[in-house]
Structure formats: C-alpha cells, structure tokens
Amino acid sequence: MEETKISMYQLYKDMLTSYLKSKSEHALYHAQQFSKEMMEKDMSPEETVSLHLSVFQELAEDLPEEVVDSFDLLLEVMIGYGLAYREHQSLRDRQQQLESELNVAARMQQSLLPRGEISLDSVDLGVISVPAGKMSGDYYDYALDEQENIGVAVADVIGKGIPAAMSMSMIKYAMDTLPEQRTRPAELLENLNRVVERNIESDMFITMMYGFYDPRSHQFYYASAGHEPGFVYDAHNDSFRSLEAKGLVLGVSPKVRYNEDHLKLEVGDFIVLLSDGVTECRVDGEFIEREQLVEMIRKYKHLSAQEIVDKIFLDLEKAQEFQLRDDFTLLILRRKV
Amino acid sequence: MNLDIQVTEGEHGNVAYLSGEVDVYTATKLKETLNPIAEQKNSDLVVDLSEVNYIDSTGLGIFIGVLKATEKSGSTLKLTGLNDRVKRLFEITGLNEVIDIEVDGRKEAK
C-alpha cells in the first residue's frame, strides 16, 4: 500500500509537471488514465485532493497560506463524495451478487419447461414463451402419453417477476404428481385448484387452460380455469372462433367443479392457446383487439406452427418497441393428418 | 394513471367510489383502503366501479382478497357500475360466479 502511494505520488508529480509546462491535451489524457487507476486502487476522492496538495507544495514553493488552507475546506467537502462513492461500490457489488442469483433461478425455471421439439406425424406443435423480466409467471407444457395423446397447457400467474415465478413452479410440480389425470382436463384442474388454494396468498390466483388431443378420434378435450380464451381455426371455412370454457380461476375457493368440453379437429384445423401477455400488448398505446390478433395469425397460417408463433411474437415485440409489459406465451397445435 | 377512492358510510353499509385505473401501481392503495372495511364484522361493502375504465389481473386479485376477508368477517361485498371491458374480465375469470355483481340495477345470479 505504501509502495502504491509512493508510485502514485511520482506518477501524479510527473503528470502535473508536464501539464504545467506544456498545457497540452496529451497531459489531460493522462489525467483521465490516472483517475481510472485511482478507482482500480480504491483511492478516495479526498486522497486525490491531498495528493494534489502535497505534489503542488513540492513543485511550487512558498504557496500563499490561504491557498494551502483552502484545501482543508475542499478536503472536507470531498470526504462526503468519498463516502457516497464507497457506498455506491458496495451497492454495485451487492447488485452483481443478486443478479447472479437471479440468473441461476431463471436457469432453474427454464429447466421446468419442456424442451425439445415434438415431431409427430399426427400434429404440428409450436410454442413461444418470453418473460417480461428475467423470470416468468407464465407456464406452458406439452406432453405425449403412451397412446400418443398430446396434452397441452398454458397457465398464467397473476403479476410477474419472482413471486409469480415461484407460484409457476408450484403448477409444474403439481402437474407432475397427476399423470393419470392428463386425459381428464376438468379433473386435472380440480386437483390443481386444491393445491393452489392451499398454497397461495389470498390476493393471488392462477388462470389455466388445459387440453389434450386424441389422434385416433381427432377430438380435442379441454377445460379452463378462468383463462384468457384461445382460438380454434377451421380450415374448411377459413374462419376463427373463440375457444372458451367457463370456470373459476385457481386459488379462490377450495371446491370448484370445472366443465369439460370437446371439439373435433379436421385436417389443417388448429388450436391457439395464449396468456394475457399477448392480448395485453399495446400497439400505439391501445390494447390489441382479439380480431387484430386473429388477422396476424391468418397472415402466417400457411407457415409451420412454430414459425407462426415466432413471427407473431416478433411483430408484437417490435410494435411495442421491444419492451414487453407482461410475460408472453403463445402455443399452436395443428392436426396434420 | 391514478386511482381515486372515496368511501362514504351509509345506513346500508359502506360504499367505495373508485375512479381511474386499478392496476399493479394502484392495487396496494386499493387493498389498504378496502381490506380494513372488509374485516369489520357484519358490514356491507359496495364498490362502485362506474368511473373505472381498466382493471388488470393484480387489481382482480385485490377484489378476491377483499371477498375472502368479507367471508371471514361475516360481511358482504357487492360490485356495481362495471363497464363492458371490466365486466368481461370478471366473466372470463369466472369471478362473476363468486362475487355479487350488480348489472344495470339488476342482480346477477350468485
């Protein structure tokens, strides 16, 4: 430390001498380098001021007393800056630590979501899910059972960020304990509701839509817990309609019955599931209407399911100047044969 | 956007008049105002939403919390004056089945 001080003294002295002699830009550039080095060596602003005074006293003998004394005042003022600077540094360290913890949590959360494409002769599946922050309150799932039934789910935890993300993992774990209910959407939601109701804050809730497609009967069975309605595309008539099902959001009341509904998918028909982060996108300050969303899907419907959801996300992200306000999830399941 | 809350005590209980947006920014204020009223024993709370044009999911959560508090204290909660967009939100989430909502002076089946 003492050595550092001596070398900094020498450095500053050389710098000041050269500047006083030449008044050149080059010497000023050296001063900038010096301040960087100071910060690296954790030197405080008041130490720099006192360094300046000692160097200057050596260079210019017989400094007027007032000039020397005035530095006492300047030193006192700089001490305040020094404290603020050190506080800033410790906050910055703390922030870096939190950030790295958050990154680990976000990676863990990603591992809760299904990975890998499902490549089947019977259906074409595409999904995109993008959190507004680092962690997501949206949950989605797709899974095949032994009979090649494919189950799809989109759930949305109220709010966003870490509290929402923690509740989202609860849905994942509860789903994993209910494999036999994957072909019984209403029963699945009833069981999830019991878990959520017991484990969630009184003013939080989760919405969810779950369905599964049976590739032999071509029926899609579904139930909803207060979730944003999806869409069904009818290829024969080239038309869209809402995919709605009545049912209370998860977590409000311990005993809730859900209705199960079903519809037949013809070749080329598809189901669209989404979270309210999609319909709450604002374009030019206005929420997008469901009709606008339908038009966007229509524009891309000749593409694969994954390409459709990717393109719609890019369009809406761009329309919002790349600032998502809420977690965004969009899933498409199309009957191929 | 702000939220203005005026509470009046009438002979049939308390009426809270809301004006503005109920969203993630104003939800705490709403919760702090309505929850203590809902926790009073055997009182009736009416929330007038005539001047509310938007409620987000965090806002909905506050009403669920208030509903639970009234159930615990033996009180009641009723919402009035919902515009179409707000009403639709209560319908999608199924909350119109558990919260007493008055539409155009007529009560919806509870």
Side-chain angles (χ1 to χ4, degrees), chain A residues 8-18 55 58-59:
Chain A
M8 292 297 269
Y9 184 92
Q10 195 54 48
L11 203 63
Y12 197 82
K13 188 176 157 191
D14 295 348
M15 203 167 69
L16 191 60
T17 316
S18 130
V55 171
E58 191 192 325
L59 292 180

Side-chain angles (χ1 to χ4, degrees), chain A residues 26-198:
Chain A
H26 191 68
L28 286 178
Y29 170 76
H30 276 295
Q32 285 171 17
Q33 296 300 106
F34 182 83
S35 80
K36 272 185 204 149
E37 200 170 328
M38 244 180 60
M39 285 185 259
E40 272 165 28
K41 296 204 160 102
D42 272 338
M43 270 177 76
S44 65
E46 64 268 26
E47 279 175 292
T48 313
V49 172
S50 105
L51 177 65
H52 178 85
L53 178 62
S54 5
V55 171
F56 199 46
Q57 271 176 313
E58 191 192 325
L59 292 180
E61 286 158 28
D62 303 327
L63 272 181
E65 205 179 323
E66 288 96 330
V67 173
V68 177
D69 290 349
S70 81
F71 272 84
D72 292 341
L73 207 70
L74 182 58
L75 266 176
E76 211 48 48
V77 173
M78 292 321 280
I79 285 172
Y81 278 100
L83 285 175
Y85 174 69
R86 280 187 287 273
E87 193 176 338
H88 168 83
Q89 290 238 253
S90 101
L91 281 175
R92 205 177 56 180
D93 291 348
R94 179 95 192 101
Q95 197 214 346
Q96 270 167 358
Q97 191 189 340
L98 284 174
E99 186 126 338
S100 76
E101 273 178 33
L102 205 54
N103 285 337
V104 174
R107 271 200 301 278
M108 271 178 70
Q109 192 186 31
Q110 278 304 308
S111 72
L112 298 179
L113 295 170
R115 262 167 300 179
E117 283 180 32
I118 285 196
S119 152
L120 288 172
D121 295 333
S122 56
V123 293
D124 172 24
L125 180 82
V127 60
I128 185 165
S129 188
V130 182
K134 276 197 191 253
M135 300 190 75
S136 183
D138 280 3
Y139 166 79
Y140 70 87
D141 189 28
Y142 51 83
L144 272 183
D145 69 10
E146 285 147 4
Q147 284 79 45
E148 290 223 332
N149 293 313
I150 174 159
V152 286
V154 171
D156 186 348
V157 183
I158 152 182
K160 53 184 180 182
I162 297 172
M166 289 175 74
S167 303
M168 172 272 191
S169 50
M170 169 165 61
I171 291 285
K172 158 72 180 169
Y173 299 137
M175 286 277 282
D176 283 355
T177 64
L178 302 166
E180 67 281 4
Q181 261 116 36
R182 292 238 168 196
T183 53
R184 296 197 283 273
E187 231 176 273
L188 179 83
L189 291 182
E190 280 157 25
N191 280 297
L192 287 177
N193 177 59
R194 270 197 292 277
V195 175
V196 173
E197 200 270 336
R198 253 178 298 187

Side-chain angles (χ1 to χ4, degrees), chain A residues 157-160 197 200-205 207 224-229 242 244-249 251-253 276 279-280 282 287-290 325-326, chain B residues 21 23-25 31 35 53-69 71-72 85 88-99:
Chain A
V157 183
I158 152 182
K160 53 184 180 182
E197 200 270 336
I200 207 164
E201 290 277 322
S202 76
D203 52 9
M204 278 187 89
F205 61 85
T207 72
S224 168
H227 195 74
E228 176 80 25
S242 260
E244 296 193 29
K246 279 197 160 189
L248 183 63
V249 296
V252 173
S253 174
D276 68 4
T279 44
E280 298 224 336
R282 293 192 204 214
F287 291 115
I288 61 158
E289 298 291 333
R290 285 171 65 85
R325 287 160 175 270
D326 196 2
Chain B
E21 290 192 356
D23 59 17
V24 65
Y25 305 104
K31 183 179 175 174
N35 264 7
N53 40 38
Y54 171 69
I55 296 184
D56 76 355
S57 53
T58 310
L60 274 186
I62 300 303
F63 288 107
I64 292 174
V66 170
L67 174 75
K68 287 179 180 172
E71 282 170 354
K72 226 183 246 175
R85 190 177 179 106
R88 170 110 181 102
L89 197 60
F90 278 90
E91 283 166 0
I92 289 175
T93 49
L95 290 169
N96 61 330
E97 304 280 334
V98 291
I99 298 181

